[in-house]
Amino acid sequence: MDDMVQLQKKLFDYTASLFQEGFLDNQFNQLEQLQDESNPDFVVEVVTLFFDDAERILNELTTSLLDAHVHQLKGSSSSIGAQRVHEACIPFRNFCTEQNVEGCLKSLQQVKHEYSLMEEELLASRLADLK
Amino acid sequence: MASPQNFASKLTALVVDDHKTYQKIHQKMLNNFGVKSHVVENGKEAVDIHCHGKKFDLILMDMDMPIMNGIEATKELRAMGVCSTIVGVTSRTTEAEILKFMEAGLDDYQEKPLTKPKLSSILGNINSNK
């Protein structure tokens, strides 16, 4: 029984700190007030729904933003014949369609890498031309 | 202060919202007042459910929804002759947007999230007009 009381106090103190630090506001109190014996897990269920929703939205946002920009880069790189940059953009599309954020970010790293290699090579060849 | 009213088996409500969090919160609030509630995900489903002959005393209508938004759905329901109390519930707050939503045929408008006292007052009005 003592353990239960201790745990409840810990939870109370922790929740109070979340309010103090601005993580939670009065709306959370409203949720707690809605919880009752007929629905004892109400708060946890609503918060879980929020996390699932937020993650889905953030993933969609990240992949759609990245997709639009990489599409542009794919087009412009092929217009000057920058083949390796262009090819590095291709796997990107699939990762975006799958909403695979990790895949998108790894692919983006590869695109950036190919771009900086190409930039160095082109600059070096320009300098050689000028000499 | 009057004790919270219970509208058990007297009133029915339809929650129209694409956010699962608000669906759950508004439905729980209604249940706590003893109101039987049904949930749909967008304006088109709200219209369809009325086409199938269902009626509700109260409709809580979100504004921004895919397929058919709250403004279009409210206009459509009024055009169909639905006389239920329709309360717009949205997180948008510019006056122009509120006006547009009200003009679609709302009886009332509330900023999200709905509060217990406000819902109590809405339900009380519906009940006394029944």
Side-chain angles (χ1 to χ4, degrees):
Chain A
M1 198 59 188
D2 271 346
D3 288 340
M4 177 69 116
V5 171
Q6 279 226 353
L7 272 173
Q8 279 175 341
K9 185 174 182 321
K10 264 190 172 169
L11 178 63
F12 181 81
D13 289 343
Y14 179 66
T15 313
S17 75
L18 291 179
F19 276 95
Q20 271 176 350
E21 288 167 50
F23 283 108
L24 295 174
D25 69 16
N26 179 53
Q27 178 58 17
F28 193 78
N29 293 131
Q30 305 283 336
L31 291 189
E32 287 177 316
Q33 283 172 25
L34 285 172
Q35 186 161 287
D36 57 24
E37 280 146 13
S38 69
N39 204 334
D41 299 321
F42 181 74
V43 177
V44 165
E45 285 169 10
V46 176
V47 172
T48 306
L49 278 174
F50 163 69
F51 283 133
D52 290 344
D53 222 14
E55 205 173 305
R56 180 186 53 81
I57 292 168
L58 288 171
N59 280 350
E60 272 175 24
L61 190 65
T62 309
T63 56
S64 72
L65 262 177
L66 290 174
D67 193 23
H69 287 91
V70 171
H71 181 71
Q72 276 199 335
L73 188 59
K74 189 160 153 252
S76 58
S77 59
S78 84
S79 74
I80 64 149
Q83 190 193 21
R84 281 167 67 154
V85 174
H86 174 80
E87 281 173 5
C89 294
I90 295 170
F92 209 89
R93 202 11 102 79
N94 291 336
F95 287 126
C96 284
T97 314
E98 292 163 18
Q99 307 259 323
N100 182 342
V101 177
E102 209 184 296
C104 276
L105 293 173
K106 278 196 178 136
S107 213
L108 183 64
Q109 280 301 104
Q110 187 59 21
V111 168
K112 281 179 170 177
H113 175 70
E114 292 298 342
Y115 172 74
S116 77
L117 280 178
M118 189 209 68
E119 195 185 28
E120 262 179 54
E121 298 294 331
L122 276 182
L123 277 175
S125 80
R126 262 324 257 142
L127 285 170
D129 277 346
L130 290 170
K131 279 188 184 151
Chain B
M1 180 137 96
S3 57
Q5 291 173 280
N6 191 296
F7 302 94
S9 71
K10 287 186 199 166
L11 299 182
T12 57
L14 179 67
V15 176
V16 189
D17 203 316
D18 61 328
H19 283 103
K20 293 212 162 7
T21 43
Y22 281 119
Q23 285 174 11
K24 198 169 173 73
I25 292 167
H26 289 157
Q27 209 173 16
K28 185 73 169 84
M29 273 185 169
L30 287 161
N31 288 352
N32 283 2
F33 280 113
V35 176
K36 257 187 166 165
S37 61
H38 194 92
V39 172
V40 290
E41 310 244 317
N42 57 61
K44 184 168 185 308
E45 288 184 18
V47 169
D48 288 348
I49 205 174
H50 282 86
C51 287
H52 289 126
K54 283 273 204 185
K55 281 186 193 152
F56 303 92
D57 298 297
L58 169 66
I59 301 172
L60 293 179
M61 184 77 79
D62 182 26
M63 184 149 98
D64 293 310
M65 294 177 286
I67 304 173
M68 188 189 282
N69 67 31
I71 293 174
E72 290 159 13
T74 304
K75 282 184 184 166
E76 186 93 16
L77 289 171
R78 292 305 191 206
M80 281 165 64
V82 171
C83 304
S84 319
T85 299
I86 306 181
V87 176
V89 191
T90 171
S91 36
R92 296 243 202 163
T93 52
T94 70
E95 260 189 56
E97 283 162 339
I98 297 169
L99 191 61
K100 206 172 159 194
F101 204 0
M102 286 295 291
E103 282 171 351
L106 295 181
D107 293 289
D108 193 5
Y109 163 87
Q110 279 304 306
E111 241 183 83
K112 267 180 177 175
L114 208 56
T115 62
K116 221 162 97 172
K118 189 58 195 174
L119 185 57
S120 175
S121 147
I122 290 169
L123 293 170
N125 284 341
I126 297 173
N127 202 44
S128 54
N129 289 337
K130 257 194 123 156

